[in-house]
Amino acid sequence: MATLALDVEQDLKKRAAALRRHILTMASGGQIIHVGGSMSVADVMACLVFHYLDLEGKGGGRDHLVLSKGHTVHAFHACLAEMGLVDPGEFKTLGQMGTRLAGHPSRRAPLVEVATGSLGHGLSIGIGMALAERLNGKGAKTVVIMGDGELQEGSVWEAALSAPRFGLDNLLAIVDRNGFQATGAVNDILPLDPLPEKWRSFGWNAREINGHDIGAILAMLVSCPHRRNRRSSSLIRSR
């Protein structure tokens, strides 16, 4: 079992490196893309897409990934290339009229269920998906990825109040806390600390990890959901 776990971790490290190469390929084509935001979620995205989630529904119930932090879509496009659902040659169409690969998630692209980019909406959408899947009873999971600057939106905290209320143990929210937003450092614009304590006070099982440590990410995912106490929801703060 230990050898198997090590093999999984090594494979995901290779996947994350491949995602970063794809992101750099997109950036080298002259298109304007969010390189930093996409790079910062590469390790988390590799673990989610290639280990934790079943986005194609091969196991019967299709899981859901909501990129509330929509400008990380280039990391997702890289995942699609690794999955063989997008030819890397298509990267040169990124952001062009009629492309499947827009600057934010577009439903023209494979596996994209929600067009996002207007920050602050993804967690509410994810809650709706998680509620629907609980009614379906197939055990499908929903993951929402948010940025730290996005948490300055009041709609995020309205949604955060709701998930524990409904006991959504099939919902995972990930905050990619890289310390920057579009116009500068988060701490210089509107500081968020004490961030973990804020989520816990809203009833979430909040955990902090190094978001670039594949082993730590996998350990966190193994511990979700926390069905024992029915507080239902978990947060990863990725650094």
Side-chain angles (χ1 to χ4, degrees):
M1 291 297 291
T3 302
L4 179 60
L6 183 60
D7 288 344
V8 170
E9 185 173 342
Q10 292 302 316
D11 177 68
L12 291 173
K13 286 181 179 178
K14 293 178 182 177
R15 292 282 196 180
L19 297 186
R20 290 190 168 93
R21 287 194 294 270
H22 285 310
I23 293 167
L24 290 176
T25 297
M26 295 177 213
S28 67
Q31 298 90 340
I32 298 175
I33 78 168
H34 294 273
V35 176
S38 297
M39 288 287 198
S40 70
V41 297
D43 300 291
V44 170
M45 197 76 81
C47 293
L48 291 175
V49 174
F50 300 107
H51 181 72
Y52 184 66
L53 296 174
D54 179 5
L55 297 179
E56 296 182 271
K58 294 180 178 179
R62 178 181 175 180
D63 294 327
H64 309 283
L65 178 61
V66 178
L67 295 179
S68 189
K69 181 186 177 185
H71 50 280
T72 65
V73 71
H74 313 299
F76 187 68
H77 292 158
C79 290
L80 295 178
E82 284 294 293
M83 297 170 76
L85 298 176
V86 164
D87 189 303
E90 196 172 342
F91 291 162
K92 65 179 180 292
T93 72
L94 197 150
Q96 297 180 7
M97 186 68 69
T99 184
R100 297 194 299 170
L101 309 182
H104 287 83
S106 167
R107 294 192 64 187
R108 292 179 179 177
L111 304 183
V112 174
E113 296 184 90
V114 182
T116 56
S118 182
L119 297 177
H121 297 165
L123 187 57
S124 294
I125 294 170
I127 288 171
M129 289 178 165
L131 283 167
E133 289 297 353
R134 187 164 68 182
L135 291 174
N136 288 339
K138 294 183 179 180
K141 300 183 287 290
T142 298
V143 175
V144 180
I145 298 181
M146 296 174 284
D148 44 2
E150 180 179 359
L151 302 189
Q152 296 160 357
E153 294 278 359
S155 54
V156 172
W157 298 103
E158 292 181 43
L161 281 171
S162 300
R165 161 66 180 81
F166 294 115
L168 294 177
D169 55 2
N170 58 343
L171 175 68
L172 171 64
I174 298 175
V175 177
D176 176 31
R177 196 176 194 190
N178 58 30
F180 288 90
Q181 57 192 95
T183 56
V186 174
N187 283 343
D188 292 338
I189 297 171
L190 188 61
L192 299 170
D193 286 325
L195 187 57
E197 287 78 5
K198 287 176 181 174
W199 282 93
R200 292 181 188 121
S201 72
F202 275 62
W204 289 63
N205 292 304
R207 305 284 186 88
E208 294 181 81
I209 65 166
N210 181 342
H212 301 302
D213 183 333
I214 296 291
I217 298 169
L218 290 176
M220 181 65 222
L221 294 175
V222 166
S223 71
C224 297
H226 302 280
R227 298 181 185 276
R228 296 186 306 277
N229 56 22
R230 302 299 295 178
R231 288 179 68 192
S232 75
S233 307
S234 303
L235 170 82
I236 296 178
R237 193 179 89 180
S238 174
R239 297 182 291 183

